[in-house]
Every structure is written in structure tokens, then in C-alpha cells.
């Protein structure tokens, strides 16, 4: 993605170089990103359990910040692994596992941002959409040996679109 190449990746590299000690394991960054998504989910369910349109504006901004924090930490973990020489298959599995969990749980705060309500069909459909894309990308990576993302893709552009949606709905 052009956004990843020219903005997100350099920002993540800057954060790793300037703010991340070498003693921090890459999986700590991965897990911290997942915790940001879990925090967004918990706060959303506490403040707007119906996922309806009556959520306070600050909740949408909070969701946007949590998504951006997740995305940044997810971009930072691989850079930290390469920096510390600790890149391995187990770390990649942990990263993909956290990404898979995130792709489902982030959809609930997004349903709140969109004011969709707590409908099983809506939430289930939202989760399936996120999971299917992730599943097929991982399947492709397994059989091709690398993950080939198009110029506009979900991990970078889709998450930024979600952040923009959250911020737009706050005003």
C-alpha cells in the first residue's frame, strides 16, 4: 500500500527507533496492540451495550485511537523483531493469531460507531467479513510463501478507513 510505504511504515520505524527499548520483545508490542482492541471492545460494551446510535461522541474518538494504536503497534512488532534479531516463526504465528482475534473483536466497536444495533445477523456478518479476508490472506501466505497485498488493502488502508469513519461519526 502506498499509505503503508510512505506514512505508516516510516512512522512505525520512527516509534521503534525513538521510543522502544531493545529490551522490549516484539511479542510485547503485538500483545499491547491486541490489548488496545480489547480495551475498545470493553469500553464500547460498557458505554453503549446496545451498539445503537446513542453512543457519546468521545466513544467514537476513543475507538479511532484504539484502532490506530493497534495498527501502529502491529507495524512496529516486525520492525522490532528485525532490529533485535529475534524474528522467528513463533513470533509470526503469535502476530497472526492476535491479528485474527483483532479482526473479529474490532467489528463490535465499529458496529457501535455505525449505530447498527445489537443484531446477531449484523454483528455475525461483520465478523465473518473480517475473518474471511484474514483467513484467505493467511491461506495464500501459507501456500505461496509470502503475503502479497494489493496496493489498497485492509491491514493498512482498511484500518485507516475505519479510523476515519470513527472520527467522522464523532462530528
Amino acid at each position: 500500500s502506498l499509505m503503508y510505504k510512505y506514512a505508516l511504515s516510516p512512522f512505525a520505524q520512527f516509534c521503534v527507533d525513538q521510543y522502544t527499548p531493545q529490551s522490549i520483545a516484539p511479542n510485547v508490542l503485538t500483545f499491547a496492540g491486541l490489548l488496545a482492541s480489547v480495551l475498545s471492545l470493553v469500553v464500547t460494551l460498557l458505554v453503549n451495550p446496545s451498539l445503537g446510535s446513542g453512543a457519546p461522541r468521545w466513544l467514537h474518538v476513543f475507538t479511532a485511537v484504539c484502532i490506530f494504536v493497534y495498527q501502529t503497534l502491529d507495524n512496529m512488532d516486525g520492525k522490532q523483531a528485525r532490529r533485535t534479531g529475534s524474528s522467528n516463526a513463533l513470533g509470526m504465528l503469535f502476530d497472526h493469531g492476535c491479528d485474527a482475534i483483532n479482526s473479529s473483536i474490532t467489528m463490535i466497536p465499529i458496529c457501535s460507531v455505525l449505530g447498527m444495533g445489537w443484531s446477531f445477523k449484523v454483528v455475525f456478518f461483520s465478523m465473518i467479513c473480517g475473518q474471511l479476508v484474514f483467513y484467505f490472506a493467511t491461506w495464500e501466505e501459507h501456500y505461496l510463501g509470502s503475503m502479497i497485498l494489493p496496493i489498497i488493502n485492509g491491514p493498512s488502508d482498511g484500518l485507516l478507513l475505519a479510523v476515519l469513519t470513527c472520527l467522522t461519526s464523532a462530528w
Side-chain angles (χ1 to χ4, degrees):
S1 156
L2 295 175
M3 185 61 74
Y4 177 79
K5 183 176 181 180
Y6 294 110
L8 297 174
S9 181
F11 178 67
Q13 188 66 54
F14 172 79
C15 290
V16 166
D17 294 341
Q18 297 299 316
Y19 303 114
T20 310
Q22 285 201 347
S23 60
I24 299 290
N27 287 346
V28 171
L29 297 174
T30 303
F31 189 67
L34 180 62
L35 288 180
S37 296
V38 169
L39 182 62
S40 175
L41 172 68
V42 169
V43 171
T44 296
L45 292 176
L46 289 173
V47 173
N48 187 21
S50 69
L51 305 182
S53 59
R57 292 180 180 183
W58 66 263
L59 182 61
H60 303 316
V61 174
F62 182 75
T63 299
V65 168
C66 286
I67 292 171
F68 186 73
V69 166
Y70 160 76
Q71 181 180 37
T72 302
L73 289 169
D74 189 44
N75 289 336
M76 288 172 60
D77 62 2
K79 295 176 185 319
Q80 177 73 349
R82 287 184 288 281
R83 176 182 173 209
T84 60
S86 58
S87 185
N88 59 44
L90 183 60
M92 189 173 88
L93 179 66
F94 184 72
D95 181 54
H96 283 325
C98 288
D99 291 343
I101 293 168
N102 179 69
S103 68
S104 287
I105 65 174
T106 300
M107 295 313 296
I108 292 174
I110 293 295
C111 285
S112 172
V113 165
L114 297 175
M116 297 172 76
W118 191 253
S119 162
F120 177 76
K121 290 178 184 176
V122 169
V123 175
F124 181 74
F125 179 73
S126 299
M127 287 183 174
I128 289 296
C129 287
Q131 282 293 311
L132 280 179
V133 171
F134 184 81
Y135 175 79
F136 284 118
T138 305
W139 191 15
E140 176 185 49
E141 180 181 17
H142 176 73
Y143 285 103
L144 295 180
S146 66
M147 186 177 287
I148 302 165
L149 295 172
I151 196 153
I152 297 175
N153 61 67
S156 47
D157 302 315
L159 286 173
L160 285 179
L161 181 61
V163 168
L164 183 63
T165 300
C166 294
L167 294 175
T168 303
S169 70
W171 285 275

